[in-house]
């Protein structure tokens, strides 16, 4: 009797294990896709969108910080490398993070490392060539998200911070 | 580096109808803040439009210790409203942490959350 059920039980367990593994593997991509839709959707692909300060009525993503100013660029490297230029914000903590399609962090630069200089990153696939004056960041996927976070420790500083962050650029490199 | 508390210092879940005193000493970081979230991590509507306390907001005593109040109703001093949400968490964000806070966060001296009273 048990022998008759053994094969279906093993197949069922294998199917469940495969489904579980599949879900685990797919989850980061699904989460990133949602984040790119919600956060990156503020602007066209390969350009920065500049989010308004987080409040109870403005929460595009879970666990937003009301003390940070968020700007984001959903990028796509299928048409060539993408260049990212970010201006420094003097006297404030700020950082630029590059997330790939699997939510892995490909690069982080903060004001501490840049020493007051602009950040110039070239997001690229293995075979793509980038301008020499940009720091190459190689990605395993075409799509991902660049996130700029700037600390707004005093709300009176926000207009000045907002003006500086809007100078950030994200664009496909002209490699012709 | 982030730390999240879902319970008070006695281990009871944080309740938006209760008043808490959050206190601590200087944290070894360039800047820090504590934000109140409900559910999966959403800011709570409140009339004061306050969602976080910045590290430089509470006054320090002679030993560098600080405190602020978390409660549904406005409190004296630095106040973080719960908005009356049934349960909440407090997230401590530290920017550019250093020393023991960075190298041994599990033994870091983090702020305490003392329940005072509940409505």
């Amino acid at each position: 009797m048990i022998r008759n059920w053994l094969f279906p039980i093993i197949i069922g367990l294998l199917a469940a294990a495969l489904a579980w593994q599949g879900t685990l593997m797919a989850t980061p991509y699904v989460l990133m896709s949602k984040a790119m839709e919600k956060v990156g959707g503020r602007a066209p692909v390969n350009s920065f969108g500049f989010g308004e300060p987080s409040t109870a009525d403005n929460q595009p993503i879970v666990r937003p910080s009301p003390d940070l100013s968020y700007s984001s660029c959903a990028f796509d490297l299928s048409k060539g490398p993408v260049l990212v230029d970010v201006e420094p914000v003097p006297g404030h903590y700020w950082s630029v993070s590059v997330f790939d399609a699997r939510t892995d962090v490909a690069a982080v630069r903060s004001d501490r490392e840049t020493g007051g200089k602009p950040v110039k990153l070239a997001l690229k696939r293995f075979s793509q060539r980038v301008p020499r004056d940009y720091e190459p960041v190689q990605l395993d996927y075409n799509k991902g998200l660049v996130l700029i976070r700037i600390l707004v420790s005093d709300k009176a500083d926000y207009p000045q911070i907002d003006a500086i962050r809007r100078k950030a650029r994200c664009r496909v490199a002209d490699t012709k | 580096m982030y730390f999240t508390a879902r319970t008070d210092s006695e281990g009871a879940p944080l309740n938006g109808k209760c008043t808490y005193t959050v206190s601590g000493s200087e944290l070894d970081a360039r800047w820090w803040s504590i934000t109140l979230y409900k559910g999966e991590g959403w800011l709570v509507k409140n009339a004061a439009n306050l969602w976080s306390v910045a590290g430089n907001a509470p006054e320090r005593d002679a030993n560098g210790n600080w405190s602020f109040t978390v409660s549904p109703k406005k409190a004296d001093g630095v106040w973080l409203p719960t908005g009356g949400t049934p349960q909440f968490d407090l997230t401590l964000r530290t920017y550019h942490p250093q020393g023991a806070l960075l190298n041994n966060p599990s033994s870091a001296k983090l702020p305490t959350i003392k329940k005072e009273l509940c409505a």
Side-chain angles (χ1 to χ4, degrees):
Chain A
M1 188 67 174
I2 287 177
R3 190 173 291 175
N4 290 343
W5 282 100
L6 200 57
F7 185 68
I9 287 171
I10 289 171
I11 292 295
L13 286 172
L14 277 173
L18 280 170
W20 173 246
Q21 191 62 29
T23 304
L24 278 182
M25 289 175 73
T27 298
Y29 301 98
V30 172
L31 287 176
M32 194 60 188
S33 173
K34 290 277 179 201
M36 286 173 69
E37 248 177 65
K38 283 224 150 194
V39 182
R42 290 191 287 233
V45 172
N46 296 331
S47 60
F48 269 110
F50 302 97
E52 294 301 315
S54 299
T55 66
D57 295 318
N58 178 38
Q59 305 188 69
I61 51 165
V62 74
R63 216 162 275 276
S65 170
D67 308 308
L68 294 175
S69 153
Y70 294 99
S71 310
S72 54
C73 165
F75 64 81
D76 183 351
L77 307 180
S78 59
K79 290 181 181 160
V82 167
L83 305 182
V84 177
D85 292 84
V86 180
E87 286 292 309
V89 186
H92 291 262
Y93 164 85
W94 58 271
S95 68
V96 184
S97 306
V98 181
F99 300 94
D100 71 14
R102 220 180 66 156
T103 71
D104 288 335
V105 177
V108 181
R109 302 290 177 269
S110 79
D111 63 320
R112 193 164 57 178
E113 289 107 39
T114 55
K117 291 182 182 162
V119 168
K120 292 168 79 71
L121 302 176
L123 314 182
K124 64 182 282 283
R125 298 301 302 272
F126 176 73
S127 59
Q128 292 174 331
R129 300 183 68 178
V130 297
R132 281 190 175 179
D133 53 338
Y134 282 79
E135 181 187 349
V137 175
Q138 190 166 305
L139 289 134
D140 294 330
Y141 306 90
N142 277 341
K143 293 186 177 179
L145 199 66
V146 180
L147 188 63
I148 304 172
R149 287 178 271 212
I150 307 168
L151 179 63
V152 186
S153 49
D154 183 343
K155 289 194 171 30
D157 295 341
Y158 183 70
Q160 184 198 0
I161 290 170
D162 190 41
I164 295 173
R165 73 176 178 139
R166 285 175 188 276
K167 294 178 183 171
R169 294 287 174 267
C170 181
R171 64 192 191 282
V172 176
D174 183 3
T175 51
K176 289 173 189 167
Chain B
M1 187 176 286
Y2 294 3
F3 302 86
T4 296
R6 292 188 169 81
T7 60
D8 63 24
S9 295
E10 300 295 318
L14 296 172
N15 181 337
K17 290 185 168 50
C18 300
T19 295
Y20 298 90
T21 299
V22 178
S23 51
S25 52
E26 291 302 342
L27 292 160
D28 198 0
R30 181 171 161 194
W31 199 83
W32 59 265
S33 70
I34 293 177
T35 307
L36 189 148
Y37 295 103
K38 68 174 179 179
E40 295 168 321
W42 303 110
L43 302 173
V44 181
K45 271 186 188 271
N46 65 84
N49 287 337
L50 293 170
W51 301 282
S52 69
V53 168
N56 58 357
E59 281 187 19
R60 267 59 172 174
D61 67 14
N63 297 316
N65 297 319
W66 52 264
S67 67
F68 65 87
T69 304
V70 179
S71 62
K73 290 186 179 169
K74 185 166 175 24
D76 290 337
V78 178
W79 169 56
L80 188 56
T82 66
T85 188
Q87 281 197 6
F88 66 89
D89 70 64
L90 294 173
T91 293
L92 167 67
R93 286 181 167 87
T94 61
Y95 299 91
H96 287 158
Q98 309 174 86
L101 187 61
L102 176 66
N103 298 314
N104 195 5
S106 60
S107 65
K109 196 178 173 196
L110 297 175
T112 58
I113 306 168
K114 184 186 173 199
K115 181 156 62 182
E116 304 291 352
L117 54 97
C118 295

